Amino acid sequence: MQKLAIQGGSPLNGEVNISGAKNAALPILCASLLSSDSLHFDNVPELNDISTMCKLLQQMGVTIEANGRQRVLSAAHIDKLEAPYDMVKTMRASILVLGPLLARFGEARVSLPGGCAIGSRPVDLHIKGLQAMGAEIQIEHGYIHAQSKRLKGARIFFDLVSVTGTENLMMAAALADGVTILENAAREPEVVDLANCLISMGASIEGAGSDTICITGTERLHGAIHCIMPDRIESGTFLVAAASAGGNITLTNARADILDNVLEKLQEAGALIKVSGNLINLQMHKRPLAVNVRTAPYPAFPTDMQAQFMAMNTIAEGSSMVVETIFENRFMHVQELRRLGAQIEVEGNTAVIKGCSRLEGATIMATDLRASASLVIAGLAAQGETIVDRIYHLDRGYEHIESKLSALGAQIRRIK
Ligand code: EPZ
C-alpha cells in the first residue's frame, strides 16, 4: 500500500498546471460508443479512473491509441455489450456505458455499481429515464440487462439532480427517435463539456448548463475532435491547499468562470484572488478565517470541495458549519482529521468545526478520493510529519499530486 509522507509548515509558492477534468473525461470517453467513427480527445488526464474506463471500453472492442494526454478511440467493432462486475465495482462511473450501448446497439448488460464510501449511490434515475424512452430493463444477478429496438424521445423529470444520470440519458437521447426533454437536469460544467463533444459529433442538443436540456435524436453520429475542459475540483483543491498552508500560487490552464462559489468562499476566508484569462492567482499571508459551506448541485457550492474546505476550517480563526446535502456519508475524513487534533462535532449531515491554531502531524488513512485530498491539505498545514495511508484513492482523481505539490515547495514524498 503506497503512502504519502508530508512535513507540514511550508508555504506553497509558484505555478501549477491544471489537468483535464476527470468528471468530464469519463462520460466523454463513453460517448465514443455512440459512433463507428474515430474520436480524437486531447487534455485527457493521466488518472487511474481514466485507465479503468479505457480498459472497460477496450474489453468491449473499443480500440484506443494513447499518445501522452491524447487518446484516439474507435468503436467501429464492438463485440461485447457488457460491463462486468469486477470492473464496475472499482469505478461507479462505469454506469455511463449503459446509455450509449443501449442507444447504438439496442442492448446492454451493466453490473449494478455497488455503494461506495460516501453513500449507497443508487442508479434508479438512470434506469427510470431509459425505461421512459422505451427500454425493457431487468435487474438480474446484480446486473442491469437493458434491451430496446430503438429508443424513443421522451419527457423525463429527475426527482433528484443527478450528474451522471443527466449524462447517461443525454447520450442515449442523442441517437433516439424523436425529441427528449430532460427536466431538473444537472447543470455541472462537465455536463456542458459532454454536450459540446456530442454536438461536435453531430448531435442536436440545446440547454446544456441549464436545468432543462432538449435533445433531438439523429440516426447516427460521426467522429470529432474534442479537448477536455480543465478540472475545477483539482483547481479548487490546490487553491484551498495554498489558503491553508499560506503562500502565493498561480494556476495555469484553469477556468475561474466555473469556480465562482469556491473563489467567493476563499475570499471570505481572507485569500487575495486575481484572475486573468486562464490564470488564477491566490495569495494568503495570514491564518484563514473560518467559512460556512453548504453543498448543493451546481452552481451552488460543490460537494466535491466539501472535505477540502473542512480541512482549511480545522486551522482557521473561528468556528464554522459544514452541511453536506448531496451524499449521506461524506464525512469519512472527520475521524482522520481528529487524529491530527482537529475539533469537529458531527450531527447528521452537519459538522461544526472549531478552528485551532495548530494541528499535530500523525498517521492517517484515506477513505475516498476527496477525503484523501482533505487529509493532504491538513498534513501541509500541520506541524511535524503526517503519513497518509491508502493513497490509491488519491491517484484515482489527482494527476501526480505529490509532484505538483513538491514543485510548489511542499515537503511531500511518496513511500512505496
Ligand atoms: C457525480 O457523481 C460525480 N462523479 C461525483 O464526483 C460528484 O460528487 C457527484 O456527481 C455530485 O456532484 C462523476 O461525475 C463521475 P449524482 P454521480 O448522480 O453522478 C442520488 C468525485 O469525487 N442519486 O449527481 O454518481 C445520489 O445518491 C466524484 O469526483 C439517486 O438517488 O452523483 C446522490 O445522493 C464523487 N439515484 C445524489 O443523487 C440516481 O439514480 C447526486 O448523485 C442517481 C443519483
Side-chain angles (χ1 to χ4, degrees):
M1 202 83 79
Q2 297 193 354
K3 303 174 181 180
L4 284 178
I6 304 168
Q7 280 298 338
S10 310
L12 301 181
N13 292 295
E15 280 192 2
V16 57
N17 185 58
I18 297 303
S19 305
K22 168 177 82 79
N23 290 350
L26 290 171
I28 285 170
L29 288 168
C30 296
S32 63
L33 292 166
L34 290 166
S35 172
S36 54
D37 295 350
S38 297
L39 285 150
H40 296 238
F41 300 129
D42 201 351
N43 199 33
V44 178
E46 291 168 354
L47 301 170
N48 290 357
D49 270 12
I50 297 297
S51 318
T52 304
M53 182 61 85
C54 288
K55 286 194 196 89
L56 175 66
L57 293 169
Q58 283 167 317
Q59 60 93 37
M60 291 174 189
V62 175
T63 59
I64 302 183
E65 288 159 47
N67 173 13
R69 289 184 175 75
Q70 293 184 339
R71 295 283 185 285
V72 179
L73 277 75
S74 164
H77 306 291
I78 296 296
D79 46 27
K80 188 177 166 197
L81 304 176
E82 180 166 324
Y85 174 66
D86 60 338
M87 300 187 91
V88 175
K89 73 182 177 192
T90 64
M91 187 185 62
R92 305 179 31 73
S94 311
I95 190 73
L96 286 164
V97 302
L98 178 61
L101 284 175
L102 188 57
R104 176 152 168 243
F105 301 102
E107 184 167 12
R109 259 177 64 77
V110 176
S111 165
L112 273 170
C116 71
I118 62 178
S120 62
R121 302 187 71 185
V123 289
D124 56 306
L125 300 176
H126 299 238
I127 291 167
K128 205 172 114 189
L130 292 170
Q131 287 172 326
M133 297 173 78
E136 295 287 322
I137 295 186
Q138 278 87 32
I139 309 285
E140 53 200 13
H141 313 302
Y143 276 78
I144 303 164
H145 185 207
Q147 291 172 291
S148 157
K149 284 187 191 52
R150 188 175 178 203
L151 292 173
K152 293 217 172 331
R155 190 179 195 87
I156 297 164
F157 180 83
F158 281 92
D159 301 340
L160 272 171
V161 175
S162 166
V163 175
T164 49
T166 300
E167 292 165 344
N168 230 339
L169 294 175
M170 187 161 71
M171 289 191 279
L175 287 181
D177 177 13
V179 177
T180 297
I181 312 263
L182 302 181
E183 295 195 79
N184 199 25
R187 300 170 55 186
E188 270 68 5
E190 293 75 23
V191 172
V192 177
D193 206 34
L194 171 64
N196 291 337
C197 175
L198 293 170
I199 289 166
S200 67
M201 293 168 67
S204 162
I205 300 174
E206 283 158 28
S210 80
D211 62 3
T212 304
I213 305 178
C214 177
I215 306 108
T216 305
T218 54
E219 288 291 322
R220 63 183 297 279
L221 295 174
H222 53 71
I225 296 172
H226 184 82
C227 184
I228 305 290
M229 66 176 277
D231 195 314
R232 65 189 165 102
I233 305 302
E234 185 195 25
S235 302
T237 301
F238 278 102
L239 292 172
V240 173
S244 307
N248 177 352
I249 70 166
T250 299
L251 310 188
T252 59
N253 290 318
R255 274 183 57 189
D257 64 308
I258 52 178
L259 273 169
D260 289 342
N261 208 306
V262 169
L263 297 181
E264 271 164 36
K265 284 292 168 188
L266 286 164
Q267 286 168 322
E268 198 184 309
L272 298 176
I273 291 179
K274 281 202 290 294
V275 173
S276 90
N278 64 2
L279 305 177
I280 304 176
N281 170 263
L282 178 142
Q283 297 189 44
M284 180 67 113
H285 302 301
K286 57 185 178 36
R287 186 179 171 195
L289 301 172
V291 291
N292 296 330
V293 297
R294 180 188 180 82
T295 68
Y298 190 88
F301 186 88
T303 176
D304 291 350
M305 284 301 305
Q306 177 257 107
Q308 298 91 316
F309 269 83
M310 189 183 290
M312 184 184 78
N313 278 334
T314 63
I315 46 99
E317 204 175 307
S319 294
S320 54
M321 192 179 283
V322 172
V323 183
E324 172 56 60
T325 71
I326 305 287
F327 291 111
E328 67 267 29
N329 188 33
R330 205 168 195 176
F331 284 152
M332 303 284 280
H333 40 289
V334 169
Q335 67 261 29
E336 300 303 313
L337 291 171
R338 283 185 183 136
R339 287 180 50 74
L340 302 176
Q343 295 180 36
I344 308 171
E345 294 304 323
V346 172
E347 183 73 37
N349 71 345
T350 301
V352 177
I353 303 103
K354 190 172 175 304
C356 46
S357 53
R358 57 182 285 161
L359 295 178
E360 301 287 338
T363 298
I364 48 184
M365 188 178 78
T367 50
D368 57 271
L369 171 55
R370 304 308 172 181
S372 328
S374 165
L375 302 186
V376 170
I377 290 170
L380 292 170
Q383 304 296 319
E385 182 174 70
T386 295
I387 303 284
V388 182
D389 201 351
R390 300 193 179 183
I391 56 165
Y392 59 87
H393 291 289
L394 206 55
D395 295 333
R396 294 187 52 171
Y398 289 96
E399 191 179 82
H400 315 313
I401 190 162
E402 76 273 14
S403 330
K404 291 190 177 184
L405 283 169
S406 304
L408 291 172
Q411 295 179 61
I412 182 171
R413 62 191 167 81
R414 185 176 288 250
I415 310 170
K416 300 284 182 201

